[in-house]
Amino acid sequence: MRKYDKKNKRNIGIILGIGIFIIFIFSYFVYKDISISKIEYNILSGSLLYDVDKNMIKLDKDGIIKKKWGNKYYLIYNDKNYLLGNDSVVYTPSNGNILLYGKYYEIMEDATVEIHENETKLESSLVSRFYKIADRKYLLVSSSIYTDNKELDTSNYLIVELDKLGNATLNNHEVNVKTFKETVINTPDYIFDIANEVLIYGENKIDLKKIIGSTNEYESKDILVDENPSDSGDGTGTGVNNNQDNGAVNNTTTFEGNNGDNRNNATVKETIEVSKRTSVIRVIPGMSSVSIDYVVYDPKDEYESVYVELVNQDNNTSTTVYLNKKSTNINISNLVPNTKYKLYFNYTYYEGNNLKNYNYSTVDVTTKSPVISISLNNINDNNIGYNIKLDDKYNIESATIEVIVDNEVIASDNKSGIGIVASFGGNIDISNYDLTDKVVIVKLSNISFDGYNYKTNNYYKFSY
């Protein structure tokens, strides 16, 4: 019989130990995989979801979602296995429920983060929610999801996936859109600046790149958040409170021909004092007005007049306003909100007996439009309570809020003399109507402020 020396015995012991360890590890993962695979979730007939290649699947009978090896989710349906990936969003139109599978980071209004894992049930989209799913992947949940130009106008949920250049794919059961420009999405409760990965709740701007990181290489043209917010992903906040206008993302001013619009007042004053030529220093658009900082340099008193001609680009009408040569600022009112104007700055002078006109500057500017959101406070068989929120205080003269069912206005609330406010609300009587199983739209159809009648398309849609 062969005898083993001590060295051989030691080597055999090591090999046996390694073998036992490998068997233990393999057994552990097999046990874990078996344990995970025993967990299954029933999915109702009529539900909608996507496979890992973004192909939509509509169930015409009940299915099952299971988690398998590698923490991947699979749909078992019609005797087939569909790979869903690390996460899945399931929408059931019949009851409005949204089911989330995987790990989701919910960003709250105060910028804290709540982590949801495995199955998350959302029984209504009346409550707006926002989730980061993974690097450059987000989920919006709301009764109304839209862009300002209404190129996107949907509801319930929207999956947003960015590429590294800031372009995005927007998906749900109604839309499949690819964006190739900066896109801002609105809901009744928050604003999502996609390319910059910024979430805005009122004045609180949250840098989403700081939550579990981002490989987005898009270079922002506007600084929307603090350069050094605290890192997050573990429940700590990333929000930055500041005094920037809530409409900064929605209503970026178009201003060409002069780079002074972002200068602070001290810089403008200094520029005016040292200027040795007639020039436009800054143009700041308001809702129905523009404020102009300017310099008229005329030491020999040669100018007969100095004026600005404002041309409304929508209807090509013009208004001429003369500038005081001894002043440096003028505020021009009675303009139309959300309208492009071209401003021609001119002065006249005599050359012999002939009066000459000289255009020394031209500026394009767009007046602002109000940022308005509508939300519901309560819904019952008798009343719908609503709240209208604006981005600033305006002198609200009147407003009309309508309840629409099947494209028909069934009830409305007509308010007048509201006053200078940033928000207002009320109740609409619906006691004479049975809204069971109906899709209801509560719409701000008209609002009048500062003498201007502004037609809006702000609404809140829900299933009763």
Side-chain angles (χ1 to χ4, degrees):
M1 185 177 209
R2 183 179 177 183
K3 295 183 179 180
Y4 295 96
D5 58 23
K6 291 183 179 181
K7 184 177 181 181
N8 287 334
K9 290 180 179 179
R10 184 183 63 186
N11 291 338
I12 291 172
I14 292 173
I15 293 171
L16 287 173
I18 293 174
I20 293 171
F21 178 74
I22 292 172
I23 292 171
F24 172 78
I25 293 297
F26 179 75
S27 300
Y28 170 77
F29 282 106
V30 169
Y31 168 78
K32 185 176 180 181
D33 186 52
I34 292 173
S35 299
I36 290 174
S37 65
K38 288 181 179 179
I39 301 174
E40 57 183 45
Y41 307 96
N42 294 321
I43 308 299
L44 294 178
S45 174
S47 296
L48 305 168
L49 66 160
Y50 294 89
D51 67 14
V52 72
D53 295 317
K54 298 182 177 63
N55 299 309
M56 179 178 282
I57 305 170
K58 183 176 181 180
L59 278 62
D60 55 16
K61 64 180 182 180
D62 290 356
I64 293 173
I65 284 182
K66 299 182 73 172
K67 186 190 287 188
K68 295 188 177 182
W69 183 262
N71 287 326
K72 303 289 186 182
Y73 286 93
Y74 289 79
L75 170 68
I76 302 173
Y77 172 66
N78 277 344
D79 298 323
K80 293 182 180 179
N81 286 345
Y82 296 86
L83 175 60
L84 306 179
N86 292 321
D87 52 77
S88 181
V89 177
V90 180
Y91 175 62
T92 308
S94 61
N95 56 23
N97 288 352
I98 300 171
L99 302 174
L100 311 180
Y101 297 95
K103 192 171 186 177
Y104 290 76
Y105 299 82
E106 183 176 5
I107 294 89
M108 315 303 288
E109 185 172 355
D110 61 358
T112 57
V113 178
E114 292 187 5
I115 300 175
H116 304 270
E117 296 187 78
N118 301 318
E119 183 184 54
T120 303
K121 295 182 180 181
L122 307 178
E123 295 184 352
S124 172
S125 63
L126 285 178
V127 179
S128 294
R129 296 177 172 90
F130 188 92
Y131 300 89
K132 186 164 187 176
I133 306 174
D135 177 18
R136 296 181 280 109
K137 186 174 182 181
Y138 297 92
L139 172 66
L140 289 72
V141 176
S142 183
S143 61
S144 179
I145 303 170
Y146 60 95
T147 55
D148 283 340
N149 57 15
K150 295 300 178 180
E151 289 181 359
L152 172 73
D153 190 357
T154 187
S155 61
N156 298 303
Y157 75 101
L158 186 71
I159 301 169
V160 179
E161 294 189 67
L162 288 79
D163 61 24
K164 290 187 177 182
L165 299 179
N167 304 312
T169 302
L170 315 177
N171 279 304
N172 69 7
H173 60 295
E174 296 178 333
V175 299
N176 186 352
V177 179
K178 177 74 173 182
T179 69
F180 293 98
K181 59 182 180 180
E182 279 198 5
T183 302
V184 174
I185 297 179
N186 303 280
T187 74
D189 297 287
Y190 58 76
I191 297 169
F192 180 32
D193 180 357
I194 297 176
N196 292 301
E197 292 190 82
V198 172
L199 177 64
I200 303 173
Y201 280 101
E203 294 184 349
N204 201 22
K205 295 178 172 65
I206 305 169
D207 186 357
L208 299 170
K209 295 178 182 178
K210 297 295 183 180
I211 299 172
I212 71 172
S214 176
T215 55
N216 185 358
E217 297 174 359
Y218 176 80
E219 294 185 3
S220 172
K221 296 179 179 63
D222 299 303
I223 298 175
L224 298 179
V225 295
D226 194 320
E227 291 290 339
N228 298 295
S230 58
D231 289 345
S232 188
D234 57 359
T236 58
T238 65
V240 179
N241 288 316
N242 57 41
N243 294 318
Q244 293 188 38
D245 183 6
N246 187 35
V249 177
N250 272 342
N251 301 290
T252 303
T253 300
T254 302
F255 182 75
E256 301 171 359
N258 189 322
N259 294 322
D261 57 316
N262 289 322
R263 300 174 186 176
N264 59 39
N265 292 330
T267 303
V268 169
K269 183 177 180 181
E270 181 180 351
T271 303
I272 291 172
E273 289 175 351
V274 301
S275 179
K276 295 296 182 183
R277 64 185 180 90
T278 300
S279 58
V280 180
I281 306 301
R282 180 173 63 171
V283 177
I284 303 176
M287 193 72 62
S288 57
S289 65
V290 293
S291 177
I292 303 170
D293 291 306
Y294 65 93
V295 170
V296 176
Y297 185 68
D298 185 21
K300 296 182 180 180
D301 198 25
E302 296 174 316
Y303 300 159
E304 183 67 18
S305 64
V306 183
Y307 66 94
V308 55
E309 181 185 8
L310 297 89
V311 179
N312 183 321
Q313 299 292 281
D314 289 349
N315 57 25
N316 207 34
T317 58
S318 64
T319 302
T320 299
V321 178
Y322 288 89
L323 305 180
N324 185 339
K325 293 198 292 183
K326 295 182 180 180
S327 183
T328 58
N329 175 269
I330 188 171
N331 190 74
I332 302 173
S333 57
N334 298 321
L335 303 183
V336 182
N338 194 31
T339 301
K340 292 182 178 179
Y341 285 87
K342 189 176 285 289
L343 279 60
Y344 298 95
F345 292 88
N346 305 276
Y347 60 76
T348 61
Y349 64 98
Y350 277 99
E351 190 175 274
N353 293 324
N354 297 321
L355 185 65
K356 300 286 187 177
N357 187 84
Y358 179 73
N359 172 244
Y360 64 89
S361 186
T362 302
V363 172
D364 289 312
V365 71
T366 302
T367 51
K368 292 183 178 181
S369 59
V371 179
I372 305 172
S373 65
I374 182 170
S375 59
L376 302 186
N377 299 326
N378 62 278
I379 306 170
N380 56 50
D381 292 338
N382 297 315
N383 291 285
I384 295 178
Y386 67 86
N387 185 65
I388 308 296
K389 185 177 180 181
L390 300 97
D391 61 320
D392 202 349
K393 288 186 176 181
Y394 303 103
N395 185 15
I396 309 297
E397 294 148 2
S398 64
T400 300
I401 299 88
E402 299 174 334
V403 178
I404 302 172
V405 177
D406 295 332
N407 296 319
E408 180 183 352
V409 177
I410 64 168
S412 64
D413 187 15
N414 297 294
K415 288 185 170 295
S416 61
I418 299 171
I420 301 175
V421 296
S423 65
F424 62 93
N427 289 283
I428 302 178
D429 184 4
I430 57 169
S431 57
N432 294 327
Y433 303 94
D434 182 9
L435 303 183
T436 304
D437 297 327
K438 297 288 187 179
V439 175
V440 182
I441 297 174
V442 181
K443 180 180 179 181
L444 173 65
S445 61
N446 199 291
I447 186 169
S448 178
F449 58 90
D450 296 333
Y452 179 75
N453 194 39
Y454 188 76
K455 294 186 180 298
T456 77
N457 194 33
N458 297 89
Y459 63 88
Y460 200 111
K461 182 167 65 175
F462 65 95
S463 297
Y464 191 72

